[in-house]
Amino acid sequence: MTKIIVDGKEVDVPAEYTLLQACEEAGAEIPRFCFHERLSIAGNCRMCLVELKGAPKPIASCAWSVKDCRPGPNGEPPSVVTKSPTVKKARNGVMEFLLINHPLDCPICDQGGECDLQDQAMAFGIDKSRYAENKRAVEDKYIGPLVRTSMNRCIHCTRCVRFTAEVAGTGDMGAIGRGEDMEITTYLETAMGSELQGNVADLCPVGALLPKPYAFKARPWELSKTESIDVMDALGSAIRIDVRGREVMRILPRINEAVNEEWISDKTRQIVDGLKAQRLDRPYLRRDGRLVPATWGEAFAAIAARVKATSPARIGAIAGDLASVEDMFALKLLMSLLGSGNMDCRQDGTKLDPANGRASYLFNPTIAGIEEADAVLIIGSNPRRESPVLNARLRKRWRMGGLPVGLVGEKVDLTYDYQYLGTGPETLAAIVAGKGFGEVLAKAQRPLILIGQGALTRPDGLAILAAAAKLAGTHEGWNGLAVLHTAAARTGGLDLGLVPTAGALDAQAMSQPGALDVLFLLGADEIDVAPGAFVVYQGTHGDRGAHRADVILPGATYTEKSGTFVNTEGRVQMADRANFPPGDAREDWSILRALSDVLGVKLPFDSLHALRQALYAAYPHFARIDAIEAGTLSLPAATGEMGKAGFVGAVQDFYLTNPIARASAVMAECSALAKGRLQQAAE
């Protein structure tokens, strides 16, 4: 630690700190536009000027390290002044320069009310300008369907350029021209190709880059803000849902250093229109081959008639990818009371099983632990599509240097360099035998073996998992087996033990012709159910599950209910309700509770609080919010032989992976653009 005096106050800070960080540690407020904690230092806005004792002129505090400061003549610590007349005059001058070309758009600008330039002009600007020349005009650019440009407002802080180059890894944005003619743009004004591109709108300190789907929809002071958790993938990113009335207007990231830092994927951010399109807002019954509106009583009566006429062995239930822990707990209890063991949360057919220990299905190194890994092997996964924010964390570790990365599976662009090892199990077997990349893993102290669902949903998935566990080995204080889930509900479902009991049918078997007479689908839209069974679909959108259903019970989306989710690393997280479901739609657990009464097997709770009390009593770790319960690994001795077919990623179209995304017009446009880029690359 190094001592430094800031405005007369002595503080101890790491020598690597910039003066800006040291000043903030001392409680001084330093304005900035180009500086961002997660991006490289540019030092080009000069708004953060401070006075350093001994320096001939004010210096940019973001670009000057504490270790570069000289001590005083008698050995006293370096002294920094942030509020002197010199500093005030310098900042006033910088602000005056910034506003020379900035248009007077504040009344019509979407950034109004949350604009850094607006705030700092009030705090550090002056009430007049000495410049009367015409302002420069810059043509707006097309950079994709997610980000709207108004480049007259750009102050050339280059945050967006550095983000796409350093965090996203695509290098989509850059600068052309020099001086007053400099313009920020994409190459040939094409759409950005990153799955994280929406974050540039958050980074932009002015209104030059804004979320296009949200344009002119609402003002920030009109919105009520709710902290929640994302369910578009299994990472569990921290988000904030902004609502006006009953309508979700936008979704923004929250800072969570352990999970998503402050980034979210484009799917997380822009599925807002999908939350209200194609919604199920009333029960439906299939009559004469057509689904027609019905009352709750009629729907429950139809279900009860079929269930009571069916033996328990011919009844089953499958939970979907977006179900909360509370909903799945209620479903499991209902199936148990009906006497059926045919239940499953693994609609993709993954071979993961809680019987093999919790560590067999978790991302055991944790998300933050990626930064401690010294070697990475990716098996049957494309993390850029399956979890873009996690992929950005892998890229962050790769940029630190000294990280060998190997890939077994499809050859894809991960935004960082890797050694392509092969396509399938034969390559993996050679690595397990210590050949090639196996030598690198053997020398590593903290190897990370990332295994995707593309490798685990195969018939030989358990054998592949056993091979990955062997490669992870045993290291003191480190478990390198990292299972990357693609479904937000999967880890919670496995924690609940929502898998078939001994001799019962799993999801794949339940979907076969003649397997069951009655099948409950709790938001399960990614599985094709053969004709024959009486299907009760409980979900939110008119998607695949609803098309197959005989009875539809309208549920609530993740923004419309309070629910618990467990992310891929086993972290228990709580999502809060931001708005209310439309029409007659209800929260899923309450639908199951009402249905159980009609079926004559009443569930033992009447409120969400009572449900959670029962849940915590049966599974205490769900009560420990934001904590990760340690797991054990106990794979069976015989796991079978690995096949020969190459690995294929679990997610082929990042933008259309669930009913909410498939209902979104914005996601459909992004999907079409992504397919076009792939075709271009193939040609």
Side-chain angles (χ1 to χ4, degrees):
M1 301 292 275
T2 303
K3 292 188 183 301
I4 187 168
I5 299 171
V6 179
D7 293 335
K9 178 181 178 182
E10 187 176 295
V11 292
D12 285 327
V13 296
E16 294 75 25
Y17 265 29
T18 63
L19 281 185
L20 188 151
Q21 291 169 308
C23 291
E24 293 204 327
E25 193 74 20
E29 183 182 355
I30 307 295
R32 85 293 298 270
F33 291 115
C34 68
F35 177 79
H36 192 278
E37 290 81 356
R38 303 186 200 280
L39 303 176
S40 61
I41 293 169
N44 55 9
C45 78
R46 320 308 285 181
M47 194 65 207
C48 63
L49 295 173
V50 296
E51 200 172 356
L52 178 63
K53 190 172 182 181
K57 59 182 180 180
I59 61 171
S61 60
C62 73
W64 195 287
S65 297
V66 171
K67 62 185 176 184
D68 294 330
C69 298
R70 292 182 300 174
N74 301 315
E76 63 268 25
S79 179
V80 178
V81 181
T82 68
K83 298 174 183 174
S84 68
T86 301
V87 170
K88 187 175 185 301
K89 184 177 180 182
R91 290 177 182 169
N92 285 348
V94 170
M95 181 58 70
E96 195 172 2
F97 275 121
L98 285 173
L99 295 176
I100 290 174
N101 284 313
H102 198 75
L104 300 174
D105 279 352
C106 293
I108 60 160
C109 177
D110 267 357
Q111 196 88 345
E114 47 191 9
C115 174
D116 290 350
L117 183 64
Q118 205 173 52
D119 295 342
Q120 293 184 37
M122 292 297 293
F124 304 103
I126 51 179
D127 60 355
K128 58 184 178 293
S129 173
R130 291 170 286 176
Y131 296 92
E133 292 84 357
N134 292 331
K135 294 180 182 289
R136 73 169 190 157
V138 181
E139 192 175 325
D140 291 341
K141 312 290 191 297
Y142 171 78
I143 60 174
L146 301 183
V147 181
R148 181 172 66 88
T149 60
S150 184
M151 302 312 290
N152 283 335
R153 303 169 187 163
C154 180
I155 61 169
H156 301 162
C157 70
T158 68
R159 281 187 184 181
C160 55
V161 176
R162 284 174 284 149
F163 173 83
T164 58
E166 297 165 14
V167 179
T170 53
D172 286 320
M173 302 195 74
I176 58 173
R178 300 185 67 185
E180 192 178 51
D181 296 324
M182 177 176 166
E183 296 182 19
I184 304 295
T185 181
T186 56
Y187 180 66
L188 298 181
E189 294 190 30
T190 54
M192 288 192 282
S194 171
E195 295 80 8
L196 300 169
Q197 61 184 274
N199 290 289
V200 300
D202 292 338
L203 288 171
C204 185
V206 296
L209 301 176
L210 292 163
K212 188 178 281 188
Y214 176 70
F216 309 117
K217 294 282 180 65
R219 290 295 196 177
W221 53 84
E222 299 176 314
L223 307 174
S224 57
K225 302 164 179 65
T226 305
E227 294 186 352
S228 191
I229 300 298
D230 171 53
V231 300
M232 291 297 108
D233 57 29
L235 188 70
S237 299
I239 59 172
R240 192 187 85 196
I241 303 170
D242 287 1
V243 174
R244 183 175 61 190
R246 294 176 67 112
E247 184 180 2
V248 175
M249 302 304 296
R250 64 178 179 178
I251 294 173
L252 296 174
R254 288 188 292 121
I255 295 176
N256 187 337
E257 299 292 351
V259 182
N260 61 309
E261 297 183 298
E262 62 183 85
W263 318 122
I264 55 174
S265 74
D266 295 334
K267 185 165 54 176
T268 299
R269 184 187 300 272
Q270 299 296 5
I271 46 84
V272 171
D273 62 322
L275 289 168
K276 54 198 173 195
Q278 299 180 30
R279 284 303 299 272
L280 300 173
D281 59 358
R282 67 184 71 178
Y284 287 85
L285 270 174
R286 189 175 295 277
R287 289 179 179 146
D288 300 324
R290 297 186 62 182
L291 287 166
V292 296
T295 64
W296 282 104
E298 290 170 341
F300 285 169
I303 297 168
R306 290 302 293 260
V307 169
K308 289 173 182 176
T310 306
S311 67
R314 303 286 294 175
I315 301 172
I318 302 174
D321 293 348
L322 306 182
S324 70
V325 169
E326 289 85 352
D327 301 335
M328 290 187 288
F329 179 64
L331 180 67
K332 184 183 179 185
L333 276 181
L334 179 61
M335 295 306 295
S336 299
L337 291 172
L338 288 173
S340 174
N342 302 320
M343 49 188 164
D344 206 347
C345 64
R346 306 165 301 178
Q347 61 175 335
D348 59 1
T350 182
K351 299 303 180 284
L352 297 172
D353 195 311
N356 299 327
R358 194 169 193 249
S360 70
Y361 58 84
L362 292 186
F363 198 99
N364 293 287
T366 72
I367 308 302
I370 289 172
E371 296 178 27
E372 300 176 31
D374 53 6
V376 173
L377 176 65
I378 300 171
I379 304 169
S381 175
N382 180 352
R384 181 176 172 183
R385 283 186 190 161
E386 294 167 23
S387 184
V389 178
L390 182 142
N391 192 60
R393 183 85 75 148
L394 282 166
R395 175 178 165 78
K396 178 182 178 183
R397 171 62 187 90
W398 172 79
R399 289 186 71 240
M400 293 177 189
L403 182 71
V405 181
L407 174 66
V408 181
E410 294 178 294
K411 195 170 186 179
V412 291
D413 178 11
L414 294 178
T415 71
Y416 44 85
D417 295 336
Y418 62 85
Q419 185 180 344
Y420 184 63
L421 306 172
T423 60
E426 291 180 352
T427 305
L428 181 59
I431 296 171
V432 173
K435 299 174 186 174
F437 201 79
E439 297 177 7
V440 176
L441 295 174
K443 293 175 185 174
Q445 297 299 308
R446 297 194 167 214
L448 191 152
I449 314 300
L450 190 156
I451 182 165
Q453 298 305 305
L456 296 172
T457 52
R458 300 155 44 110
D460 57 353
L462 193 57
I464 295 165
L465 179 64
K470 189 173 181 182
L471 283 172
T474 54
H475 301 269
E476 188 176 350
W478 178 263
N479 182 347
L481 180 63
V483 177
L484 179 57
H485 290 282
T486 54
R490 189 62 45 77
T491 308
L494 292 170
D495 279 354
L496 285 170
L498 190 60
V499 294
T501 57
L505 304 178
D506 63 12
Q508 302 303 306
M510 283 188 267
S511 65
Q512 299 304 310
L516 296 175
D517 292 333
V518 177
L519 179 60
F520 289 90
L521 298 180
L522 180 60
D525 290 274
E526 316 306 322
I527 189 167
D528 294 322
V529 179
F534 181 83
V535 175
V536 179
Y537 175 75
Q538 186 174 324
T540 59
H541 287 72
D543 205 74
R544 298 170 188 167
H547 293 164
R548 172 62 186 85
D550 294 288
V551 179
I552 293 176
L553 306 177
T557 64
Y558 71 104
T559 67
E560 297 161 359
K561 62 186 176 185
S562 176
T564 305
F565 294 89
V566 185
N567 76 348
T568 193
E569 62 182 345
R571 185 182 301 275
V572 180
Q573 299 174 296
M574 187 75 77
D576 284 333
R577 179 168 61 191
N579 63 327
F580 291 90
D584 290 337
R586 298 289 181 267
E587 295 179 43
D588 293 298
W589 70 266
S590 65
I591 296 173
L592 292 168
R593 162 64 184 80
L595 177 61
S596 71
D597 213 354
V598 178
L599 295 176
V601 287
K602 185 177 176 181
L603 292 174
F605 45 78
D606 293 316
S607 66
L608 182 60
H609 176 73
L611 186 158
R612 284 182 173 153
Q613 292 298 105
L615 173 67
Y616 298 158
Y619 306 93
H621 75 280
F622 285 121
R624 295 188 276 277
I625 303 300
D626 207 38
I628 300 174
E629 189 80 7
T632 57
L633 183 65
S634 55
L635 289 170
T639 55
E641 296 292 324
M642 291 191 288
K644 294 186 186 275
F647 298 129
V648 178
V651 175
Q652 295 304 311
D653 191 334
F654 164 72
Y655 297 101
L656 303 176
T657 55
N658 60 62
I660 302 174
R662 286 191 287 270
S664 166
V666 177
M667 290 296 99
E669 187 177 353
C670 291
S671 174
L673 278 170
K675 287 175 183 173
R677 280 193 297 270
L678 286 174
Q679 287 174 355
Q680 256 185 336
E683 292 167 2

